[in-house]
Amino acid sequence: MNKKLAAALSGGAVLVLVLSGCSDDEGDKVNDWAKTFCDQAQPQIQKRANANQLIISTAADSKPEAIKAADSKAFQDIAAADRALAKAVESSGAPPVENGEKVQQDAIKELNATAVAYDGLKKQVDALDTSNQQKFADGLKVVSDNLAKIQNMDQDAVAKLQAGELGQAMAKQPGCQTPKASVPPSASPKAGAPATGSTAPSAKPSAKPSASAKSEE
């Protein structure tokens, strides 16, 4: 039931987790900006990775209560991480690239907007009715569809930061590397017992073919 949300989060553009490539000749100012930002961003990138893993680690056949709790916490953590990332962009100053001030302001605005959107997802999850399997499944499908829309906001928020020499400089920073996600033992698949007769609604693939989900998980 929860695989669709996990796939959508995994397939989306999470800030600086998808950066690749490097350059042998970067300006010192660009590298300095990248280090300043990535050092601040690292805990938030880790928080987002952990939130993603929390959803993945909550078994598709877990009880609705377990899925609801995991998704709610994950969305709350991602919202908090996005707000902190916006502050990191702000405190790092305008990046020393063409239209750097606009790049900075756009990233701040869009990261804060995604944080609000994830807050909204959390409220939707918190309002799901776990006493009725079908109602819960239907509600989870709506949440999944809304998550797919928010992915586009995530992509817009990071696209300019990832562009050109700035993105290449960030890719070389340890703080902007893909972290190893971890979740508390209580979030493991064994945390929720199988929910008999549960139906996992399918939603349109949001980013990659792997995001498609069967109607029964």
Side-chain angles (χ1 to χ4, degrees):
M1 188 178 290
N2 219 32
K3 282 188 176 180
K4 179 59 190 173
L5 294 176
L9 280 174
S10 301
V14 178
L15 184 66
V16 301
L17 298 184
V18 295
L19 290 171
S20 62
C22 60
S23 171
D24 294 331
D25 184 23
E26 292 291 340
D28 288 342
K29 290 183 178 180
V30 174
N31 283 325
D32 288 346
W33 189 95
K35 184 179 188 311
T36 298
F37 169 75
C38 292
D39 286 351
Q40 297 179 72
Q42 196 280 329
Q44 310 313 322
I45 296 172
Q46 183 70 60
K47 182 180 286 187
R48 289 196 60 148
N50 291 349
N52 184 16
Q53 188 61 39
L54 177 60
I55 291 180
I56 294 172
S57 298
T58 305
D61 59 356
S62 293
K63 289 182 177 179
E65 291 84 356
I67 294 174
K68 179 176 178 177
D71 292 350
S72 178
K73 182 181 186 325
F75 292 145
Q76 180 179 356
D77 287 351
I78 293 172
D82 277 355
R83 286 193 176 89
L85 286 167
K87 289 181 180 178
V89 174
E90 183 176 15
S91 65
S92 297
V97 294
E98 186 177 357
N99 298 320
E101 189 172 343
K102 186 177 188 305
V103 169
Q104 179 195 30
Q105 294 305 315
D106 286 349
I108 292 170
K109 179 181 177 181
E110 289 162 2
L111 282 166
N112 282 324
T114 60
V116 171
Y118 278 109
D119 283 337
L121 282 184
K122 180 186 183 303
K123 290 178 181 177
Q124 289 177 10
V125 169
D126 290 344
L128 293 179
D129 181 3
T130 57
S131 65
N132 183 297
Q133 285 281 14
Q134 190 56 54
K135 284 184 178 179
F136 182 74
D138 291 344
L140 199 63
K141 180 183 184 304
V142 173
V143 172
S144 177
D145 290 344
N146 289 337
L147 175 60
K149 296 175 185 176
I150 294 175
Q151 281 185 280
N152 293 328
M153 297 172 63
D154 262 345
Q155 291 166 359
D156 290 341
V158 303
K160 291 180 182 177
L161 284 178
Q162 293 176 336
E165 61 178 348
L166 185 59
Q168 292 171 350
M170 290 162 66
K172 295 189 295 184
Q173 295 297 325
C176 282
Q177 301 303 314
T178 304
K180 182 177 181 180
S182 62
V183 291
S186 60
S188 67
K190 293 181 181 178
T196 15
S198 64
T199 302
S202 62
K204 294 179 180 178
S206 55
K208 295 182 180 180
S210 61
S212 60
K214 297 181 181 179
S215 58
E216 286 282 334
E217 297 292 355

